[in-house]
Amino acid sequence: MRDNAAAWLQTVDWLLGAALFILAAALAIAVGVAAYGLLRLARWTVGRIRHRFDVARMQTRPQLRPATGQAIDDYWTCRRVWAKPTREESKR
């Protein structure tokens, strides 16, 4: 009888230890998932705040002046000067 009770207690002790280990692992995973969710929420919130700030700043900027003839000429001059042929084009 004592042998049966001792074997049962050892089995229960082992099962309680395993259950405690599983519970601790599940708790650690739950804490990790919660921390990850909070970090994601914080990053999303900062992004939304930054976006709203950028939209407000863009709405307060003055409109750009239309390009003059000289500015357009300067643009095309830069395009022609910096347009270098590729190796294949230069070999032809």
Side-chain angles (χ1 to χ4, degrees), residues 16-37:
L16 288 176
L20 184 62
F21 177 76
I22 290 171
L23 181 65
L27 184 62
I29 290 171
V31 168
V33 168
Y36 176 75

Side-chain angles (χ1 to χ4, degrees), residues 41-54:
L41 180 64
R43 288 186 67 192
W44 180 82
T45 304
V46 168
R48 288 298 298 168
I49 291 169
R50 186 177 296 136
H51 172 70
R52 287 182 181 267
F53 176 75
D54 290 344

Side-chain angles (χ1 to χ4, degrees), residues 1-9:
M1 182 80 170
R2 285 185 178 172
D3 292 339
N4 289 342
W8 183 81
L9 285 175

